[in-house]
Amino acid sequence: MATSAPEDPTGEYAFLQKLIAPMDRHLIFPLLEHYSLAEVEKSPERHNDLQLAIYRLLEPTNMVDYLAGLYPTLSGAKGAAPNFEAKRETVLGKLEQYEKDTEYLSNLLSDENVTSQLRSDKVANLKFLEDSHQVTPQMIDDLYTFGRFKYDMGAYGDAADLLYRFRVLSTDNDKVVKATWGKLVCEILGEEWENALEEVDKVKEHIETRLFNNPRAQLTARESLVHYALFPFFNFEPARDKLIELYFSPPYISSIQTVCPWILRYLAAAVISNRARLNNSHNYQKQLKDLVRVVKQEVYEYQDPVTEFVKALHVDFDFEEAQKKLSEAEAVLRGDFFLGSSTDAFVDSARHLISELYCKIHQRIDIKDLSNRLGMSDSEGEKWIVDLIRDTRLDAKIDYKAGTVVMNHPPQSVYQQVIEKTKGAFFRTQVLSAAVAK
């Protein structure tokens, strides 16, 4: 990197540095490429810095053709140009050797007559393959080695297939785990989102079972998994609820709060954007309640415009600050690798949240004032409020002459207020009693 990097007034590159730290280098590549392309016209100096970073990131890999094409475009690359042709010949030589080493077993595993006789018992399968087809443990390990080599070349589809075949047969638990992580990355980079989600489940199972007696390793593995899972999280709609549930589960939300609180940006954006799909369902209200609780807990450890919007609206009930933070959040999200495509959904859902909460705590609402709070013109705001009343079935009516919305909040009786307060006091007494008893 250049020694005098351009200023980063939003702190997004400092944020990016945290985000990529737990990631595999092949997953980091598309992120750096995204931000590099965004800087082509805005900051040629930063664009070049990011291109250099991409080159250095991929230099240890076997993606020789890509590196050979990238190197001449770099400004500030020092020393003699690497001998890409020699490295390419080396890579092709190894590729040919690995193909020979795995050809027999690969053909065997493509034969239905053979695979139909395989069972879920790996030991029995190995015995069958050894006795009937002279398959050796080394042949199985060669699948793993070749899979890693293909992965290093950027041939992710081939790598995923080789690692899968290795995992089906191997009894080497350590390598099977590595193959599972590798296959997860391959499915992500191949944009096979359904397969990627299946691999997330397999990795999670490994973390919760095999690392059960190693809390530190569990924490590190969970940190990596929540970062890897961001890819299917925001590219595969069916993954949304499943991964929100994963992130909010006690072991994972605890890990996020402990080692990577910046993931709260993505969790908050996902929950808020989910409103359009789940509307006012019980599940959405629970997600929102959990989000507010976590953001409130982490306010002194981590904040960005997205979490600050949640805090302003649902903790401080500061509508002016919420609108300000929503504008800042929109700018941040549009440039974010994961969230750019869901920015409009986020802004729309956030405006609904502002409107709904504002309507709940006011008896009479000035349409012009609410429009300003939502960052809309008077006509846009009026249409918005009409749609809101219709969609959420609020008990309200619009006085067009006065330019106001009148909310029909049913008054709560004094008797009901006493009951609610008594419930709260009783609950707190129970908590105190339990604490004293311990």
Side-chain angles (χ1 to χ4, degrees):
M1 285 285 190
T3 52
S4 56
E7 291 184 7
D8 180 19
T10 66
E12 282 302 288
Y13 288 97
F15 179 89
L16 177 62
Q17 188 174 6
K18 293 176 182 177
L19 190 66
I20 65 178
M23 287 189 183
D24 177 273
R25 70 174 67 244
H26 289 257
L27 289 180
I28 296 171
F29 171 44
L31 272 80
L32 293 185
E33 190 174 45
H34 168 83
Y35 288 101
S36 174
L37 289 172
E39 296 288 2
V40 170
E41 295 183 1
K42 291 193 296 182
S43 174
E45 184 181 354
R46 191 181 290 284
H47 169 70
N48 186 65
D49 274 356
L50 288 165
Q51 291 292 95
L52 273 171
I54 290 171
Y55 178 81
R56 291 170 183 167
L57 176 78
L58 299 179
E59 198 171 12
T61 73
N62 292 321
M63 297 171 69
V64 186
D65 290 340
Y66 180 84
L67 290 168
L70 178 61
Y71 189 82
T73 69
L74 300 177
S75 172
K78 296 179 181 178
N83 189 343
F84 291 110
E85 193 57 39
K87 185 173 181 180
R88 190 172 189 273
E89 290 300 318
T90 301
V91 169
L92 291 176
K94 288 183 178 180
L95 179 64
E96 185 178 356
Q97 184 59 52
Y98 287 139
E99 285 174 343
K100 288 179 181 177
D101 292 342
T102 58
E103 183 179 14
Y104 174 72
L105 184 53
S106 292
N107 289 338
L108 205 61
L109 295 175
S110 300
D111 187 339
E112 284 190 22
N113 293 326
V114 175
T115 55
S116 63
Q117 298 182 62
L118 298 179
R119 301 292 179 264
S120 58
D121 187 339
K122 287 187 178 183
V123 175
N125 290 339
L126 291 176
K127 180 68 175 168
F128 160 71
L129 291 172
E130 182 181 358
D131 293 345
S132 303
H133 301 282
Q134 295 75 53
V135 172
T136 66
Q138 184 59 51
M139 289 180 182
I140 295 170
D141 276 350
D142 286 344
L143 290 176
Y144 176 78
T145 304
F146 193 21
R148 289 203 58 162
F149 187 81
K150 281 278 193 177
Y151 171 74
D152 239 13
M153 288 180 63
Y156 303 116
D158 292 344
D161 187 50
L162 286 161
L163 293 173
Y164 170 75
R165 291 181 170 190
F166 166 79
R167 190 172 67 186
V168 166
L169 297 175
S170 179
T171 55
D172 185 331
N173 289 331
D174 288 341
K175 282 188 177 178
V176 166
V177 169
K178 290 177 182 177
T180 302
W181 279 97
K183 189 169 183 296
L184 170 57
V185 176
C186 288
E187 302 295 5
I188 288 170
L189 293 170
E191 297 187 1
E192 298 291 343
W193 302 121
E194 195 167 346
N195 293 342
L197 201 56
E198 290 178 8
E199 296 305 318
V200 167
D201 285 338
K202 287 183 172 64
V203 170
K204 177 177 175 287
E205 183 182 356
H206 155 72
I207 293 171
E208 303 311 316
T209 55
R210 297 191 180 278
L211 296 179
F212 181 76
N213 292 320
N214 190 340
R216 179 60 204 173
Q218 268 193 331
L219 182 64
T220 302
R222 285 178 187 140
E223 179 187 11
S224 293
L225 183 58
V226 296
H227 283 80
Y228 288 25
L230 290 174
F231 289 87
F233 205 165
F234 295 100
N235 286 285
F236 186 51
E237 191 66 33
R240 189 64 59 87
D241 286 337
K242 188 171 186 177
L243 290 175
I244 287 176
E245 184 180 340
L246 172 69
Y247 282 40
F248 271 134
S249 64
Y252 281 83
I253 197 63
S254 175
S255 300
I256 289 169
Q257 290 177 284
T258 303
V259 293
C260 49
W262 48 88
I263 293 294
L264 292 178
R265 166 187 290 187
Y266 299 101
L267 186 53
V271 168
I272 291 171
S273 301
N274 237 12
R275 183 204 172 281
R277 208 158 52 81
L278 298 180
N279 206 349
N280 283 319
S281 70
H282 172 73
N283 193 32
Y284 178 72
Q285 295 302 324
K286 183 181 182 304
Q287 289 177 3
L288 190 60
K289 185 177 179 181
D290 287 342
L291 175 65
V292 172
R293 172 179 54 80
V294 175
V295 166
K296 190 175 180 180
Q297 288 172 348
E298 293 303 306
V299 69
Y300 298 109
E301 295 296 327
Y302 176 78
Q303 293 186 64
D304 71 18
V306 181
T307 63
E308 287 173 332
F309 166 76
V310 176
K311 176 180 178 291
L313 185 61
H314 288 284
V315 179
D316 300 334
F317 301 102
D318 186 335
F319 294 97
E320 289 185 10
E321 183 68 7
Q323 174 54 38
K324 176 186 172 187
K325 292 302 176 183
L326 178 56
S327 298
E328 293 176 12
E330 180 179 2
V332 167
L333 265 60
R334 290 207 184 279
D336 189 284
F337 174 82
F338 294 105
L339 299 173
S341 62
S342 59
T343 304
D344 290 340
F346 173 86
V347 171
D348 186 66
S349 296
R351 282 174 171 167
H352 269 93
L353 289 174
I354 292 173
S355 304
E356 288 173 14
L357 192 58
Y358 193 81
C359 290
K360 283 179 182 178
I361 63 176
H362 290 83
Q363 189 74 33
R364 183 178 291 271
I365 299 162
D366 185 280
I367 293 175
K368 185 175 182 179
D369 178 59
L370 182 56
S371 299
N372 289 335
R373 293 182 188 279
L374 296 174
M376 295 178 168
S377 66
D378 292 354
S379 59
E380 288 174 333
E382 184 176 305
K383 182 178 182 302
W384 172 272
I385 293 165
V386 170
D387 290 341
L388 176 71
I389 292 172
R390 184 190 66 240
D391 295 343
T392 59
R393 299 180 182 177
L394 288 170
D395 187 4
K397 62 180 180 180
I398 299 178
D399 183 339
Y400 288 100
K401 288 185 178 180
T404 60
V405 178
V406 180
M407 307 301 301
N408 296 318
H409 297 304
Q412 191 178 42
S413 68
V414 174
Y415 174 71
Q416 188 63 36
Q417 292 179 42
V418 170
I419 289 177
E420 293 300 323
K421 288 183 179 294
T422 305
K423 278 183 183 176
F426 178 68
F427 175 74
R428 287 191 293 273
T429 303
Q430 279 188 315
V431 172
L432 287 171
S433 298
V436 171
K438 289 179 181 180

